[in-house]
Amino acid sequence: MPTTPVTDADAIDVMILLSFIAQVKAGDFSARMPLEWTGVAGKVADGLNEVVVANEQIGAELARVSRVVGKQGELSQRVGLGGWTQGWSGSVESVNSMIDDLVRPTIEMQRVIGAVADGDLTKKVSVEVRGEMLQLKNTINAMVDQLNGFVSELTRVAREVGTEGKLGQAAAVTIENAASPPAWTATSPSP
C-alpha cells in the first residue's frame, strides 16, 4: 500500500500543540496556534484557531446577554448566533429557551401586579410554572384574593353605614392563622 511522504509543512510540533491545548483547557481563549504553519499542519492550526475564536465570541455574547437581561432588565434580548456554525446553535437555543422560560412568567406577574396597582382586582397569574416561580405565582394570586375579600368587606360595611344609615355599625378586621395568608373578615355588632 503506497504512503504519502510527510513533508515538513505537514509536521505538527506536538509541544506547541500541547501548550495550546493546555492554555485553552485553562480558559485562555487568547491562545492561538502559529499562523505561519503551512500544509496539513497549517490547516490543523487554522481549524483550532477558528474553534477558539468562535468559543471566545460565544463567551462574549453570553456575557453581553447576561449583562443586558440580568443586570439592565432588557428582557427582549437574546443570544445571537452570528456567523457561528450550527454546532453552537444547540447551546444558544438552550440559553435563549431558559431566558424565555424566566421572562414569560415574569411578564405575566408584572401584568397582574400592574392591574392591582391600577385598582383592577380581577386579574390572576395564569401561566404554568414550577418551583419558586410557582410559589411567587401563588403568593401574587393569594394577595389578589385577600385584597378582593378586604375590598368586599369594606364595601359592605360602607354600604351599611353610608347608604342604609346604620351608623352604629363597625368593622373588625382580623387576621386568622398568621402562618397562612391573612383571611380578612368584617363583623358587625348586634343592634
Side-chain angles (χ1 to χ4, degrees):
M1 184 174 235
T3 60
T4 306
V6 176
T7 65
D8 285 341
D10 294 334
I12 296 175
D13 184 332
V14 293
M15 294 309 292
I16 291 175
L17 179 60
L18 185 60
S19 173
F20 169 81
I21 291 171
Q23 286 176 291
V24 172
K25 182 179 176 185
D28 179 3
F29 299 117
S30 67
R32 298 291 183 268
M33 291 291 289
L35 299 176
E36 66 274 0
W37 285 5
T38 59
V40 172
K43 289 180 181 180
V44 168
D46 290 346
L48 289 171
N49 286 339
E50 288 171 9
V51 168
V52 170
V53 166
N55 200 52
E56 188 174 33
Q57 289 174 340
I58 200 164
E61 178 67 357
L62 289 171
R64 180 194 71 81
V65 169
S66 173
R67 183 183 70 257
V68 298
V69 173
K71 306 279 188 278
Q72 297 172 0
E74 297 179 29
L75 302 181
S76 64
Q77 293 290 308
R78 298 296 180 271
V79 176
L81 192 56
W84 304 315
T85 63
Q86 291 302 312
W88 298 104
S89 66
S91 297
V92 168
E93 288 171 12
S94 292
V95 170
N96 287 338
S97 177
M98 178 184 63
I99 293 169
D100 288 339
D101 290 343
L102 292 171
V103 167
R104 191 176 309 108
T106 302
I107 289 172
E108 171 73 2
M109 290 175 198
Q110 185 276 329
R111 178 189 67 81
V112 173
I113 292 170
V116 169
D118 291 339
D120 181 356
L121 299 177
T122 63
K123 305 291 188 243
K124 293 281 199 92
V125 179
S126 59
V127 68
E128 291 293 322
V129 290
R130 295 184 183 139
E132 292 169 354
M133 286 295 217
L134 178 60
Q135 291 173 336
L136 185 56
K137 170 188 172 179
N138 290 342
T139 299
I140 291 170
N141 287 341
M143 174 192 70
V144 172
D145 290 341
Q146 292 300 319
L147 288 171
N148 264 321
F150 188 63
V151 167
S152 294
E153 289 300 316
L154 286 176
T155 301
R156 182 188 63 77
V157 170
R159 183 178 55 248
E160 287 179 1
V161 171
T163 308
E164 298 173 12
K166 298 179 182 176
L167 297 177
Q169 302 297 313
V173 178
T174 59
I175 298 176
E176 299 172 2
N177 191 356
S180 64
W184 302 95
T185 59
T187 58
S188 299
S190 307

